[in-house]
Amino acid sequence: MAEPFDAIGFQIKDAASYEALAEEAHQRGTLSQARRTNGVLHGCCWNLGSGLEVWTMLYESQKGMLYADCRPAFRGQRLFGLYPWEIIEYEEDGEALARGLMTDMTTEIIFALQNITEIDPAEFRERPITAAIAGLAYRARVNARPGKPTFASLANSRNRRNVTDTDYVVRGTILSWRDLTNPRTAEDLVWVDVDAGQAQIEVVVSRAVLKGELKRGGWLSAEVWLQGHILNDKELLSRYEGIDRQAS
């Protein structure tokens, strides 16, 4: 499956629209870079607001600059602690995957790592990493009846072609939701917080794709592309809001 750009409000129908979005993101975004043995990765993050982002990646080597990748992103709020973990990087493709065990030590999670050029993996050596992980939905449905909570690789649960390791099936109870709007395209989106049993996961889906009416305590089934961002120490400290004196 290709990355679901429509989940964040962009209709990418052909190579021309893909390249146009990549160019706009590169012009409007914030640049970062990471040096590698044989070249430099140039990342660019276009922050659209409300967590919505578009990432582009360029790979520079002695042979010159190679345009590598453009992809949708959502910087979620739910944090996952992972250990042990590994990062698999495809430098010339501009892609990176992260995988690790969640805190229950039995559930493995694999996600597309968006901000490889904003972090230094060496800083996390021999210690857990903290990642904000969310799913961008290919499709989603509110079911009339609840079922078995599920958070699992789509490749393991369905006999399908062209499914990647980062494609997941999510089924669970709707904890909350809110409407979002892509300010660039005015497309209506929905953010849904889902308790899928093994994980509580944020799902972002286009309102045009979502079937059924959302309600708290309802049941959501979705197929998502799992992606996320690793937080460095500075970002983790900035989330600390002090002691709540009213809590025992």
Side-chain angles (χ1 to χ4, degrees), residues 53-125:
E53 297 176 349
V54 176
W55 272 88
T56 65
M57 197 71 66
L58 299 173
Y59 178 72
E60 182 183 11
S61 69
Q62 293 180 350
K63 298 178 182 179
M65 190 81 74
L66 174 67
Y67 167 68
D69 196 26
C70 175
R71 55 187 180 266
F74 180 78
R75 205 170 290 234
Q77 294 298 310
R78 282 208 175 274
L79 302 184
F80 292 75
L82 304 176
Y83 189 82
W85 56 270
E86 67 173 337
I87 293 175
I88 306 158
E89 189 174 326
Y90 306 93
E91 292 179 6
E92 294 188 6
D93 293 331
E95 296 181 359
L97 301 181
R99 75 165 73 212
L101 286 180
M102 293 164 52
T103 51
D104 62 8
M105 297 303 293
T106 61
T107 304
E108 183 183 64
I109 190 168
I110 305 173
F111 62 96
L113 177 57
Q114 302 282 18
N115 65 331
I116 187 67
T117 54
E118 290 183 339
I119 62 169
D120 179 3
E123 294 180 358
F124 306 99
R125 192 168 295 165

XYZ file of all heavy atoms in Angstrom, residues 53-125:
602
model
N 1.568 17.097 9.163
C 2.851 17.435 8.567
C 3.007 16.745 7.212
O 2.359 15.734 6.944
C 4.008 16.970 9.473
C 4.069 17.628 10.835
C 5.175 17.060 11.702
O 5.763 16.022 11.334
O 5.460 17.653 12.756
N 3.898 17.319 6.400
C 4.388 16.643 5.198
C 5.906 16.647 5.298
O 6.513 17.679 5.568
C 3.940 17.346 3.903
C 4.558 16.659 2.682
C 2.414 17.349 3.789
N 6.494 15.451 5.082
C 7.948 15.315 5.126
C 8.498 15.043 3.739
O 7.921 14.265 2.978
C 8.353 14.160 6.045
C 8.520 14.554 7.477
C 7.551 14.587 8.439
C 9.725 14.972 8.111
N 8.078 15.002 9.632
C 9.412 15.239 9.462
C 11.038 15.139 7.675
C 10.373 15.671 10.370
C 11.990 15.577 8.577
C 11.657 15.836 9.917
N 9.610 15.693 3.414
C 10.358 15.344 2.205
C 11.787 15.013 2.611
O 12.272 15.448 3.661
C 10.379 16.482 1.176
O 11.106 17.597 1.712
C 8.974 16.928 0.818
N 12.449 14.250 1.759
C 13.816 13.847 2.051
C 14.657 13.895 0.788
O 14.224 13.442 -0.281
C 13.832 12.424 2.618
C 15.113 12.054 3.312
S 15.347 12.908 4.895
C 14.011 12.199 5.866
N 15.838 14.466 0.891
C 16.827 14.479 -0.189
C 18.078 13.761 0.297
O 18.470 13.899 1.460
C 17.186 15.907 -0.592
C 16.060 16.786 -1.128
C 16.551 18.221 -1.306
C 15.546 16.256 -2.451
N 18.703 13.007 -0.601
C 19.946 12.319 -0.262
C 21.074 12.909 -1.102
O 20.997 12.934 -2.335
C 19.832 10.821 -0.523
C 21.108 10.067 -0.233
C 21.536 9.865 1.073
C 21.886 9.561 -1.272
C 22.717 9.178 1.340
C 23.066 8.874 -1.010
C 23.476 8.691 0.309
O 24.641 8.015 0.564
N 22.100 13.404 -0.442
C 23.235 14.021 -1.125
C 24.479 13.152 -0.958
O 24.854 12.786 0.160
C 23.506 15.402 -0.555
C 24.646 16.136 -1.238
C 24.944 17.475 -0.597
O 24.407 17.745 0.496
O 25.727 18.245 -1.190
N 25.110 12.827 -2.074
C 26.360 12.073 -2.050
C 27.347 12.740 -3.002
O 27.055 13.812 -3.571
C 26.118 10.625 -2.462
O 25.781 10.548 -3.839
N 28.485 12.120 -3.203
C 29.473 12.672 -4.136
C 28.941 12.686 -5.566
O 29.421 13.451 -6.396
C 30.772 11.855 -4.063
C 31.495 11.993 -2.739
C 32.769 11.175 -2.700
O 33.026 10.365 -3.582
N 33.585 11.408 -1.674
N 27.965 11.868 -5.829
C 27.361 11.829 -7.161
C 26.370 12.969 -7.380
O 25.891 13.170 -8.493
C 26.663 10.488 -7.378
C 27.611 9.294 -7.316
C 26.845 7.994 -7.494
C 27.770 6.795 -7.399
N 27.034 5.515 -7.538
N 26.024 13.672 -6.305
C 25.076 14.768 -6.428
C 23.875 14.586 -5.512
O 23.885 13.765 -4.595
N 22.821 15.373 -5.786
C 21.623 15.368 -4.953
C 20.586 14.445 -5.571
O 20.285 14.500 -6.762
C 21.047 16.789 -4.854
C 19.945 16.932 -3.824
S 20.584 17.114 -2.137
C 21.201 18.794 -2.179
N 20.023 13.557 -4.738
C 19.005 12.623 -5.189
C 17.725 12.876 -4.410
O 17.704 12.763 -3.184
C 19.467 11.180 -4.984
C 18.442 10.084 -5.283
C 18.115 10.057 -6.778
C 18.952 8.720 -4.831
N 16.643 13.260 -5.119
C 15.354 13.426 -4.466
C 14.840 12.045 -4.088
O 14.758 11.154 -4.928
C 14.365 14.131 -5.397
C 12.937 14.056 -4.916
C 12.549 14.729 -3.769
C 12.000 13.282 -5.585
C 11.249 14.642 -3.310
C 10.702 13.199 -5.140
C 10.328 13.879 -4.000
O 9.034 13.772 -3.537
N 14.499 11.834 -2.838
C 14.222 10.485 -2.375
C 12.761 10.228 -2.045
O 12.207 9.227 -2.480
C 15.083 10.181 -1.151
N 12.117 11.107 -1.290
C 10.833 10.700 -0.731
C 9.986 11.904 -0.326
O 10.503 12.958 0.027
C 11.086 9.808 0.495
C 9.862 9.033 0.920
O 9.008 8.781 0.059
O 9.757 8.686 2.104
N 8.662 11.700 -0.369
C 7.695 12.650 0.176
C 6.601 11.818 0.823
O 6.135 10.832 0.238
C 7.118 13.525 -0.937
S 5.802 14.660 -0.382
N 6.182 12.188 2.028
C 5.205 11.351 2.727
C 4.381 12.173 3.714
O 4.824 13.206 4.214
C 5.903 10.209 3.444
C 7.006 10.645 4.392
C 7.767 9.458 4.937
N 8.828 9.860 5.839
C 10.085 10.053 5.463
N 10.425 9.873 4.205
N 11.005 10.413 6.344
N 3.164 11.700 4.007
C 2.315 12.361 4.993
C 2.768 12.021 6.400
O 3.418 10.997 6.626
C 0.931 11.763 4.703
C 1.238 10.382 4.211
C 2.522 10.508 3.431
N 2.404 12.868 7.354
C 2.799 12.617 8.739
C 1.795 13.241 9.690
O 1.086 14.200 9.350
C 4.202 13.180 9.008
N 1.737 12.678 10.886
C 0.967 13.262 11.980
C 1.770 13.078 13.252
O 2.160 11.969 13.600
C -0.395 12.592 12.137
C -1.209 13.168 13.264
C -1.870 14.378 13.105
C -1.299 12.507 14.481
C -2.607 14.922 14.151
C -2.033 13.044 15.522
C -2.697 14.250 15.356
N 2.028 14.184 13.931
C 2.823 14.147 15.166
C 1.847 14.025 16.334
O 1.247 14.989 16.778
C 3.690 15.398 15.293
C 4.928 15.185 16.162
C 5.889 16.346 16.078
N 6.555 16.459 14.802
C 7.881 16.509 14.638
N 8.669 16.421 15.691
N 8.402 16.642 13.444
N 1.676 12.786 16.801
C 0.676 12.497 17.828
C 1.119 12.889 19.221
O 2.238 13.357 19.452
N 0.211 12.636 20.183
C 0.461 12.972 21.578
C 0.681 11.734 22.448
O 1.277 11.831 23.518
C -0.719 13.779 22.135
C -0.879 15.149 21.500
C 0.326 16.036 21.752
O 0.769 16.180 22.894
N 0.867 16.622 20.700
N 0.193 10.590 22.003
C 0.383 9.364 22.782
C 1.821 8.870 22.627
O 2.301 8.711 21.516
C -0.591 8.281 22.356
C -1.985 8.492 22.915
C -2.719 7.169 23.086
N -3.996 7.373 23.728
C -4.173 7.416 25.051
N -3.129 7.282 25.844
N -5.377 7.612 25.557
N 2.454 8.621 23.750
C 3.867 8.229 23.735
C 4.024 6.739 24.023
O 3.295 6.174 24.841
C 4.652 9.038 24.772
C 4.604 10.562 24.627
C 5.498 11.213 25.670
C 4.997 10.994 23.227
N 4.985 6.140 23.338
C 5.290 4.723 23.503
C 6.747 4.593 23.930
O 7.643 5.118 23.272
C 5.071 3.968 22.190
C 3.638 3.876 21.752
C 2.986 4.986 21.213
C 2.936 2.686 21.873
C 1.666 4.900 20.810
C 1.615 2.600 21.465
C 0.979 3.706 20.931
N 6.978 3.873 25.020
C 8.338 3.543 25.421
C 8.732 2.218 24.793
O 7.982 1.238 24.880
N 9.888 2.171 24.150
C 10.327 0.987 23.421
C 11.723 0.564 23.850
O 12.659 1.366 23.844
C 10.332 1.267 21.911
C 9.022 1.752 21.283
C 9.234 2.064 19.808
C 7.907 0.745 21.467
N 11.850 -0.728 24.206
C 13.165 -1.297 24.505
C 13.042 -2.809 24.596
O 12.142 -3.301 25.267
C 13.724 -0.747 25.818
C 15.174 -1.134 26.044
C 16.190 -0.406 25.436
C 15.494 -2.244 26.823
C 17.519 -0.777 25.621
C 16.817 -2.607 27.006
C 17.824 -1.870 26.400
O 19.132 -2.227 26.569
N 13.911 -3.546 23.950
C 14.965 -3.113 23.030
C 14.360 -2.582 21.732
O 13.170 -2.796 21.453
C 15.769 -4.389 22.792
C 14.771 -5.486 22.986
C 13.858 -5.017 24.073
N 15.178 -1.914 20.926
C 14.690 -1.295 19.699
C 15.796 -1.318 18.651
O 16.958 -1.541 18.963
C 14.261 0.157 19.969
C 15.353 0.994 20.580
C 15.601 1.170 21.911
C 16.359 1.747 19.885
N 16.696 1.994 22.096
C 17.183 2.354 20.858
C 16.647 1.967 18.540
C 18.265 3.168 20.535
C 17.734 2.775 18.204
C 18.524 3.363 19.196
N 15.409 -1.070 17.416
C 16.373 -0.885 16.337
C 15.788 0.052 15.296
O 14.564 0.159 15.151
C 16.756 -2.218 15.689
C 15.630 -2.894 14.930
C 16.095 -4.128 14.168
O 17.303 -4.216 13.859
O 15.242 -4.984 13.863
N 16.676 0.746 14.595
C 16.287 1.620 13.480
C 16.914 1.057 12.213
O 18.119 0.791 12.175
C 16.748 3.071 13.710
C 15.986 3.684 14.892
C 16.521 3.916 12.449
C 16.467 5.082 15.268
N 16.084 0.864 11.209
C 16.534 0.355 9.916
C 16.422 1.500 8.925
O 15.325 2.019 8.684
C 15.676 -0.832 9.461
C 15.657 -1.908 10.546
C 16.188 -1.393 8.137
C 14.483 -2.838 10.458
N 17.544 1.894 8.361
C 17.569 3.095 7.521
C 17.931 2.739 6.078
O 18.856 1.970 5.826
C 18.590 4.079 8.083
C 18.556 5.448 7.433
C 19.494 6.409 8.127
O 19.659 6.309 9.366
O 20.087 7.253 7.430
N 17.144 3.275 5.156
C 17.407 3.123 3.728
C 17.803 4.501 3.201
O 16.952 5.284 2.754
C 16.166 2.597 3.007
C 15.615 1.322 3.617
C 14.624 1.365 4.589
C 16.101 0.082 3.222
C 14.119 0.198 5.151
C 15.608 -1.090 3.777
C 14.613 -1.026 4.742
O 14.119 -2.177 5.304
N 19.097 4.812 3.284
C 19.568 6.184 3.078
C 19.167 6.746 1.721
O 18.608 7.840 1.631
C 21.093 6.235 3.230
C 21.565 5.971 4.649
C 23.076 6.016 4.761
O 23.737 6.371 3.761
O 23.601 5.698 5.842
N 19.453 6.024 0.648
C 19.211 6.568 -0.691
C 17.728 6.642 -1.018
O 17.332 7.361 -1.941
C 19.957 5.734 -1.731
C 21.469 5.834 -1.591
C 22.200 5.165 -2.732
O 21.542 4.725 -3.681
O 23.439 5.088 -2.672
N 16.890 5.913 -0.266
C 15.442 6.003 -0.438
C 14.824 7.048 0.489
O 13.627 7.337 0.392
C 14.782 4.643 -0.176
C 15.152 3.618 -1.234
O 15.420 4.033 -2.378
O 15.188 2.422 -0.915
N 15.630 7.580 1.410
C 15.122 8.579 2.337
C 14.157 8.036 3.363
O 13.380 8.785 3.954
N 14.184 6.738 3.602
C 13.226 6.117 4.506
C 13.936 5.488 5.695
O 15.100 5.082 5.610
C 12.417 5.045 3.782
C 11.549 5.581 2.651
C 10.758 4.497 1.979
O 10.897 3.308 2.368
O 9.981 4.804 1.056
N 13.202 5.390 6.797
C 13.709 4.702 7.983
C 12.531 4.041 8.694
O 11.431 4.593 8.748
C 14.414 5.680 8.918
N 12.761 2.853 9.219
C 11.781 2.142 10.026
C 12.335 1.993 11.435
O 13.547 1.847 11.628
C 11.491 0.750 9.456
C 10.958 0.644 8.038
C 10.709 -0.819 7.691
C 9.684 1.451 7.858
N 11.448 2.038 12.412
C 11.835 1.760 13.791
C 10.972 0.614 14.293
O 9.783 0.540 13.982
C 11.640 2.994 14.661
N 11.603 -0.261 15.039
C 10.859 -1.360 15.652
C 11.360 -1.561 17.071
O 12.524 -1.295 17.376
C 10.990 -2.652 14.840
C 12.323 -3.350 14.960
C 12.251 -4.773 14.427
N 12.166 -4.801 12.992
C 11.510 -5.723 12.304
N 10.854 -6.662 12.930
N 11.521 -5.708 10.997
N 10.464 -2.020 17.936
C 10.864 -2.262 19.310
C 9.750 -2.913 20.081
O 8.609 -3.028 19.600
N 10.074 -3.348 21.297
C 9.085 -3.942 22.180
C 8.480 -2.864 23.063
O 9.192 -2.026 23.627
C 9.720 -5.021 23.052
C 10.066 -6.348 22.371
C 10.692 -7.302 23.390
C 8.838 -6.978 21.746
N 7.147 -2.899 23.180
C 6.466 -1.981 24.070
C 6.691 -2.400 25.515
O 7.307 -3.423 25.789
C 4.971 -1.935 23.704
C 4.728 -1.312 22.333
S 3.080 -1.618 21.644
C 2.015 -1.094 22.972
N 6.186 -1.600 26.441
C 6.501 -1.809 27.857
C 5.986 -3.136 28.403
O 6.473 -3.601 29.433
C 5.928 -0.655 28.699
O 4.537 -0.472 28.374
C 6.669 0.638 28.415
N 4.997 -3.768 27.728
C 4.542 -5.079 28.200
C 5.525 -6.189 27.850
O 5.350 -7.336 28.260
C 3.152 -5.415 27.639
C 3.134 -5.501 26.109
O 4.220 -5.452 25.487
O 2.039 -5.610 25.547
N 6.565 -5.850 27.045
C 7.653 -6.753 26.685
C 7.192 -7.928 25.821
O 7.940 -8.877 25.609
C 8.377 -7.290 27.933
C 9.066 -6.215 28.759
S 10.276 -5.274 27.773
C 11.490 -6.531 27.447
N 5.971 -7.896 25.322
C 5.481 -8.962 24.441
C 5.008 -8.433 23.105
O 4.964 -9.188 22.135
C 4.325 -9.733 25.106
O 3.233 -8.828 25.370
C 4.775 -10.374 26.411
N 4.649 -7.146 23.027
C 4.083 -6.582 21.809
C 5.142 -5.805 21.045
O 5.691 -4.823 21.546
C 2.903 -5.643 22.133
O 1.931 -6.349 22.892
C 2.250 -5.136 20.850
N 5.439 -6.258 19.830
C 6.379 -5.538 18.967
C 5.605 -4.540 18.116
O 4.492 -4.817 17.667
C 7.123 -6.504 18.060
C 8.168 -5.816 17.189
C 8.855 -6.759 16.223
O 8.170 -7.297 15.332
O 10.072 -6.941 16.359
N 6.200 -3.391 17.909
C 5.585 -2.362 17.071
C 6.615 -1.908 16.033
O 7.796 -1.751 16.354
C 5.069 -1.182 17.927
C 4.215 -0.227 17.100
C 6.193 -0.451 18.631
C 3.454 0.787 17.936
N 6.168 -1.761 14.801
C 7.022 -1.314 13.700
C 6.363 -0.099 13.067
O 5.177 -0.145 12.725
C 7.199 -2.417 12.639
C 7.728 -3.703 13.282
C 8.150 -1.954 11.540
C 7.768 -4.881 12.332
N 7.109 0.982 12.901
C 6.519 2.187 12.325
C 7.535 2.909 11.449
O 8.752 2.766 11.621
C 5.993 3.128 13.423
C 7.037 3.642 14.378
C 7.634 4.876 14.180
C 7.405 2.888 15.490
C 8.593 5.363 15.066
C 8.364 3.356 16.381
C 8.954 4.600 16.175
N 7.004 3.661 10.491
C 7.853 4.510 9.647
C 8.338 5.678 10.494
O 7.537 6.405 11.081
C 7.051 5.010 8.447
N 9.646 5.843 10.557
C 10.233 6.912 11.374
C 10.359 8.168 10.525
O 11.105 8.199 9.549
C 11.599 6.470 11.900
C 12.378 7.500 12.710
C 11.581 7.989 13.903
C 13.716 6.916 13.161
N 9.617 9.206 10.910
C 9.571 10.427 10.117
C 10.797 11.313 10.324
O 11.334 11.861 9.368
C 8.291 11.225 10.466
C 6.992 10.473 10.245
C 6.577 10.415 8.784
O 7.381 10.634 7.897
N 5.325 10.121 8.535
N 11.229 11.494 11.563
C 12.191 12.560 11.869
C 13.612 12.042 12.084
O 14.306 12.446 13.012
C 11.720 13.357 13.089
C 11.685 12.526 14.367
O 11.480 11.319 14.317
N 11.874 13.173 15.499
N 14.065 11.167 11.204
C 15.409 10.622 11.332
C 16.472 11.718 11.252
O 17.549 11.609 11.846
C 15.665 9.542 10.256
C 17.007 8.836 10.481
C 15.598 10.135 8.849
C 17.068 8.003 11.726
N 16.184 12.826 10.552
C 17.167 13.916 10.445
C 17.074 14.902 11.607
O 17.878 15.840 11.678
C 16.977 14.681 9.119
O 15.613 15.124 9.017
C 17.299 13.794 7.926
N 16.129 14.711 12.523
C 16.014 15.586 13.694
C 16.651 14.976 14.945
O 16.740 15.643 15.975
C 14.540 15.890 13.989
C 13.863 16.785 12.965
C 12.431 17.107 13.339
O 11.820 16.360 14.141
O 11.897 18.108 12.824
N 17.060 13.724 14.859
C 17.593 13.037 16.037
C 18.945 12.403 15.698
O 19.307 12.260 14.536
C 16.632 11.931 16.521
C 16.458 10.866 15.430
C 15.295 12.516 16.949
C 15.749 9.609 15.895
N 19.651 12.032 16.738
C 20.897 11.277 16.604
C 20.691 9.952 17.336
O 20.682 9.913 18.567
C 22.059 12.041 17.214
C 23.375 11.274 17.105
O 23.374 10.183 16.509
O 24.381 11.765 17.629
N 20.472 8.859 16.598
C 20.215 7.575 17.268
C 21.283 7.176 18.266
O 20.998 6.441 19.230
C 20.144 6.587 16.090
C 19.716 7.417 14.920
C 20.391 8.745 15.135
N 22.509 7.645 18.074
C 23.590 7.293 18.995
C 23.320 7.800 20.412
O 23.815 7.236 21.390
C 24.914 7.843 18.485
N 22.524 8.863 20.538
C 22.209 9.412 21.858
C 21.373 8.450 22.692
O 21.332 8.557 23.923
C 21.455 10.740 21.709
C 22.275 11.864 21.102
C 21.472 13.145 20.992
O 20.282 13.128 21.364
O 22.033 14.162 20.542
N 20.679 7.524 22.036
C 19.761 6.628 22.750
C 20.359 5.239 22.957
O 19.661 4.329 23.390
C 18.453 6.499 21.961
C 17.803 7.807 21.642
C 17.956 8.390 20.388
C 17.047 8.479 22.586
C 17.361 9.605 20.084
C 16.455 9.694 22.298
C 16.611 10.260 21.055
N 21.619 5.074 22.619
C 22.243 3.761 22.688
C 22.154 3.185 24.098
O 22.420 3.876 25.093
C 23.704 3.867 22.239
C 24.386 2.534 21.983
C 25.699 2.774 21.269
N 25.492 3.349 19.937
C 26.460 3.916 19.227
N 27.683 3.997 19.723
N 26.212 4.403 18.031
